[in-house]
């Protein structure tokens, strides 16, 4: 009752946008929540180094949203989301590679900066699609559904990761294999989000007013 009809099967249009948004947040925050743990406990780095990766993603997220706002009037909604998800996959791969001792630690900051750019593109586009696709007079309920998908994706990402990392760790030591399993799982979630994003509208609906 809290989501548009057809959300669970990613029906084209508004339901697909809500479903894709949940998967987007699940994939991104399912890794973002564990980047500091991977760098501090996994690679023995300081909290400052871990914060560098998160800061880089924050800056590029803002940059991605700025780019999206300037492309919204002429770019394909679908391609912007899929492109953003592809960048997130590349970013997750960069973070996962940093779990190997031979890979420089700063590679995590570079990879997560790429992921930040990706979510900046996709996150803002989802919001735009929801506002454009919402039935007249139901913009508020559609925005609430989008926020619910946002929070649900974040909670599931952190929760699932906590279970995986916790169950593979022992004696207080963080398991690098657990972090790697989580990264691989989130890559799968991002790929699923790409499939769902194919059901987003290509362009703004006639008569809609982009809010980017």
């Amino acid at each position: 009752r809290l989501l548009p009809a057809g959300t669970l099967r990613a029906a084209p249009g508004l339901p697909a946008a809500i479903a894709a948004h949940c998967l987007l947040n699940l994939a991104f925050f399912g890794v973002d929540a564990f980047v500091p743990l991977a760098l501090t406990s996994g690679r023995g780095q300081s909290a400052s180094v871990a914060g560098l990766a998160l800061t880089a993603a924050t800056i590029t997220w803002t940059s991605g949203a700025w780019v999206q706002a300037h492309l919204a009037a002429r770019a394909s909604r679908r391609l912007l989301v899929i492109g953003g998800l592809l960048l997130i996959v590349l970013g997750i791969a960069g973070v996962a590679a940093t779990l190997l001792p031979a890979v420089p630690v700063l590679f995590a900051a570079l990879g997560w900066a790429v992921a930040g750019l990706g979510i900046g593109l996709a996150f803002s586009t989802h919001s735009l699609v929801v506002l454009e696709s919402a039935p007249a007079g139901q913009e508020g309920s559609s925005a609430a559904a989008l926020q619910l998908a946002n929070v649900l994706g974040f909670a599931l990402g952190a929760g699932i990761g906590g279970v995986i990392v916790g169950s593979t760790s022992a004696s207080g030591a963080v398991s690098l294999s657990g972090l790697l399993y989580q990264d691989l799982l989130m890559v799968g979630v991002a790929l699923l989000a790409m499939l769902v994003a194919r059901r987003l509208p290509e362009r703004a609906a006639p008569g809609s007013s982009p809010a980017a």
Side-chain angles (χ1 to χ4, degrees):
R1 296 180 181 180
L2 297 176
L3 299 172
T7 298
L8 295 182
R9 55 184 174 85
L14 177 62
I18 299 297
H21 193 66
C22 182
L23 293 172
L24 169 71
N25 282 276
L26 173 56
F28 181 84
F29 289 108
V31 177
D32 185 77
F34 298 95
V35 169
L37 184 65
L39 293 176
T40 55
S41 298
R43 291 296 302 269
Q45 300 298 309
S46 67
S48 298
V49 173
L52 179 62
L54 299 181
T55 301
T58 301
I59 294 173
T60 54
W61 184 332
T62 304
S63 301
W66 181 87
V67 171
Q68 185 274 340
H70 285 73
L71 294 178
R74 58 184 183 278
S76 163
R77 307 285 187 259
R78 192 180 305 158
L79 289 181
L80 279 175
V81 171
I82 292 176
L85 285 163
L86 180 58
L87 290 175
I88 290 175
V89 169
L90 294 175
I92 295 174
V95 171
T98 313
L99 296 174
L100 301 174
V103 178
V105 171
L106 289 180
F107 197 69
L110 177 61
W112 210 230
V114 171
L117 180 63
I119 196 170
L121 289 171
F123 192 101
S124 300
T125 304
H126 282 155
S127 301
L128 186 59
V129 170
V130 166
L131 291 176
E132 292 172 343
S133 304
Q138 298 183 26
E139 292 84 359
S141 60
S142 297
L146 182 71
Q147 182 62 18
L148 176 61
N150 181 27
V151 175
L152 183 61
F154 176 85
L156 285 175
I160 292 172
V163 171
I164 292 176
V165 175
S167 62
T168 55
S169 302
S171 301
V174 174
S175 169
L176 293 183
S177 62
L179 292 169
L180 180 59
Y181 293 153
Q182 172 70 358
D183 290 344
L184 293 177
L185 178 60
M186 293 304 108
V187 166
V189 171
L191 294 177
L192 177 60
M194 289 185 195
L195 293 178
V196 174
R198 291 171 59 87
R199 297 189 168 191
L200 296 179
E202 187 72 19
R203 302 286 179 182
S208 63
S209 54

